[in-house]
Amino acid sequence: MTVWAKPVPGRRPSPATSSRRAAVQTLQDVLAHGRTLPNALADSVAALQDSRDRALCQELCYGVLRWHSRLEALVLNLLEQRPRNRDRDLTLLLELGLYQLMYTQIPPHAAVSATVDTARALGKSWAAGWVNAVLRRFQRERANRLQAVDLDCATRHAMPPWLLQWLRADWPSDWQSLVQASNARAPLTVRINRRRRDRDAWLAQLSAVSLTGAHLTELPQAIMLSRALPVTELPGFADGEVSVQDAAAQFAAMLLALRPKQRVLDACAAPGGKTTHILEQAEVTLTALDIDAQRLTRVAENLARLGLQANLLVGDATDPASWWDGLTFDRILVDAPCSGTGVIRRHPDIKWLRRPSDLPALAATQQRLLNRLWPLLSSGGRLIYATCSVLRAENDAVIESFLRGHGDALVRAPDIPLGRALQFGHQILPGERDMDGFYYACLEKD
């Protein structure tokens, strides 16, 4: 829960200071209280009146979390003694100041001045001079300070040591490019609803909002935009002409090889990106299942905006007896809950909220989903297993274990013209064709 520090009496925070104060509070919510960044940020920006202030707050939060462990190491290197726990907000404020000096185009004098003012806005006027001194010291000694903290590989790449170790073990030849892509900004990629709009006609509208876009040859409905903007400003968004969806995620519906009148199950449907893509691809009877009723409302909203229909069910995919009508499905999509290590560039909080102990539990859930849903697939049917993970423990290892217990399961090589084929599935790593990291396995029932 966000606890706002009281501003200094008689001083109204400037818009720039308000943005930074909101950013510090958001970072505290994520790093100290374990809240996800989208939820924490939504609460913090609600008090900011101007869209530019909200945008700055978001930029600072995503940026600091992207480079948190490197920034934290720099703060500790610059300080003569470790700050007290009750001054955690000041440590984060220093990280925020360093981020501005290292990774943004904000003029250094403005970045330092606004960060110092934010210390006052947090109710800690006594620390204003101290914050100023630390940031000025970094400006003078930047090269030496960075050299010192970057001796540690995990710090240099701003990755938790355990995660970096796993990435290096799973991808010994690719881990450096993988990490670099995970720390980069993700592009805005959209999917054209071909039931409502022609791709080239939609592309022609982009100039009205000073945008350009490039369509991807591997995915006929995917367009990667030249810059990000609020989704509500996308041409035709309100009319259901377009949806936001990373290109790698768009392979899911295509790998199902849909035919008209098939019965299809989207087993972990929320928030509905893949659900709606399935319905845009073919005239099928689709059941969209999710265990979270509130998240399922997002699916309903997306369906309504795009003019599509599906049977929405609240239920646990690992307990079909509680919701299944007994009729088998021709196609099943299992977009399994996972570590999210393939989408860190969009969700940098994953690096600091995820723990190595989470992986065995996630793998067990993934295995249970496959075991419980396989009997629901018709003979000759196809099941697509997907994760946004790059870790073998959640991907090929899960499929290998599943196959040992199911002699009627046949592995088909997914038709994906990029990434790399693995023993059982196919992996797209973050940054390949500027896509997110995704894993797909294609299973057919004998």
Side-chain angles (χ1 to χ4, degrees):
M1 179 181 296
T2 300
V3 180
W4 292 92
K6 294 181 180 179
V8 176
R11 181 189 293 270
R12 179 185 289 265
S14 68
T17 301
S18 296
S19 298
R20 289 166 173 81
R21 186 178 66 172
V24 170
Q25 299 299 330
T26 302
L27 294 168
Q28 281 190 297
D29 277 356
V30 173
L31 296 170
H33 304 298
R35 296 188 69 193
T36 63
L37 178 54
N39 288 340
L41 191 59
D43 287 349
S44 297
V45 301
L48 300 175
Q49 302 296 319
D50 192 285
S51 61
R52 291 169 298 181
D53 296 334
R54 294 192 292 271
L56 176 58
C57 179
Q58 178 171 305
E59 159 66 19
L60 295 174
C61 290
Y62 273 83
V64 170
L65 288 172
R66 192 173 287 124
W67 295 103
H68 165 58
S69 62
R70 191 178 191 224
L71 295 170
E72 183 179 49
L74 272 173
V75 169
L76 297 178
N77 183 270
L78 287 161
L79 298 181
E80 295 178 358
Q81 59 183 13
R82 195 175 189 91
R84 300 169 297 184
N85 287 336
R86 67 184 183 185
D87 291 326
R88 171 69 166 168
D89 55 348
L90 292 177
T91 304
L92 292 173
L93 179 61
L94 286 173
E95 287 190 40
L96 189 148
L98 291 171
Y99 172 74
Q100 294 169 80
L101 293 172
M102 293 169 62
Y103 297 106
T104 76
Q105 298 299 312
I106 298 172
H109 69 277
V112 173
S113 176
T115 304
V116 169
D117 286 345
T118 304
R120 300 187 181 98
L122 289 168
K124 296 188 175 182
S125 295
W126 58 267
W130 174 74
V131 169
N132 181 70
V134 173
L135 296 180
R136 297 297 186 191
R137 183 183 307 150
F138 171 74
Q139 289 180 289
R140 293 192 305 271
E141 304 170 8
R142 176 174 180 147
N144 289 338
R145 298 292 182 171
L146 285 172
Q147 184 179 32
V149 302
D150 285 346
L151 290 173
D152 179 77
C153 185
T155 300
R156 182 169 69 253
H157 293 293
M159 283 283 169
W162 73 267
L163 180 55
L164 187 64
Q165 181 181 354
W166 283 45
L167 295 176
R168 295 180 73 163
D170 285 356
W171 301 102
S173 300
D174 301 283
W175 70 269
Q176 288 179 302
S177 59
L178 191 163
V179 167
Q180 184 178 5
S182 295
N183 284 332
R185 297 170 185 269
L188 178 60
T189 304
V190 299
R191 186 190 76 234
I192 304 301
N193 180 2
R194 66 182 185 181
R195 290 177 178 267
R196 293 198 170 187
R197 195 63 169 162
D198 174 76
R199 183 193 67 193
D200 293 335
W202 190 84
L203 269 171
Q205 298 180 85
L206 290 181
S207 59
V209 288
S210 302
L211 273 177
T212 58
H215 68 80
L216 305 180
T217 55
E218 302 90 350
L219 295 156
Q221 307 311 125
I223 295 176
M224 195 171 292
L225 300 181
S226 57
R227 64 176 175 84
L229 76 169
V231 295
T232 53
E233 296 179 18
L234 290 170
F237 180 82
D239 298 323
E241 296 179 3
V242 64
S243 298
V244 174
Q245 186 181 39
D246 186 79
Q250 294 186 38
F251 282 111
M254 303 195 61
L255 291 173
L256 286 169
L258 298 163
R259 300 188 190 123
K261 299 184 179 180
Q262 286 182 325
R263 276 175 52 87
V264 181
L265 172 65
D266 186 356
C268 305
K274 298 178 183 68
T275 305
T276 53
H277 194 195
I278 289 170
L279 292 168
E280 291 171 7
Q281 291 289 108
E283 296 282 355
V284 298
T285 300
L286 176 64
T287 296
L289 177 77
D290 203 89
I291 197 170
D292 189 327
Q294 185 172 0
R295 280 171 51 82
L296 203 61
T297 61
R298 292 274 308 280
V299 182
E301 291 167 359
N302 282 318
L303 289 168
R305 183 178 61 82
L306 295 164
L308 302 169
Q309 291 186 334
N311 177 31
L312 303 185
L313 284 180
V314 178
D316 183 351
T318 66
D319 182 25
S322 64
W323 53 266
W324 184 39
D325 63 6
L327 300 176
T328 57
F329 295 94
D330 302 295
R331 299 288 188 266
I332 297 177
L333 173 61
V334 182
D335 185 15
C338 68
S339 64
T341 46
V343 293
I344 285 174
R345 64 182 190 165
R346 297 188 187 278
H347 305 282
D349 51 323
I350 285 173
K351 292 194 285 188
W352 318 117
L353 297 181
R354 189 64 69 198
R355 298 288 181 268
S357 57
D358 297 336
L359 271 296
L362 285 166
T365 297
Q366 293 151 3
Q367 191 68 55
R368 192 159 57 249
L369 281 166
L370 288 173
N371 289 333
R372 300 293 173 81
L373 292 173
W374 187 250
L376 280 61
L377 185 66
S378 303
S379 179
R382 174 175 289 194
L383 182 150
I384 298 297
Y385 173 78
T387 75
C388 55
S389 172
V390 297
L391 300 177
R392 186 182 185 279
E394 300 180 275
N395 295 337
D396 249 23
V398 170
I399 299 301
E400 182 178 26
S401 177
F402 171 78
L403 291 172
R404 283 199 295 266
H406 296 82
D408 58 347
L410 305 174
V411 177
R412 301 296 185 200
D415 184 15
I416 301 177
L418 56 102
R420 67 281 323 276
L422 305 180
Q423 184 178 2
F424 303 106
H426 197 97
Q427 183 76 59
I428 302 170
L429 292 178
E432 295 187 73
R433 291 297 307 275
D434 219 355
M435 296 184 187
D436 288 345
F438 258 83
Y439 172 88
Y440 289 105
C442 180
L443 303 174
E444 293 184 354
K445 181 173 281 191
D446 193 3

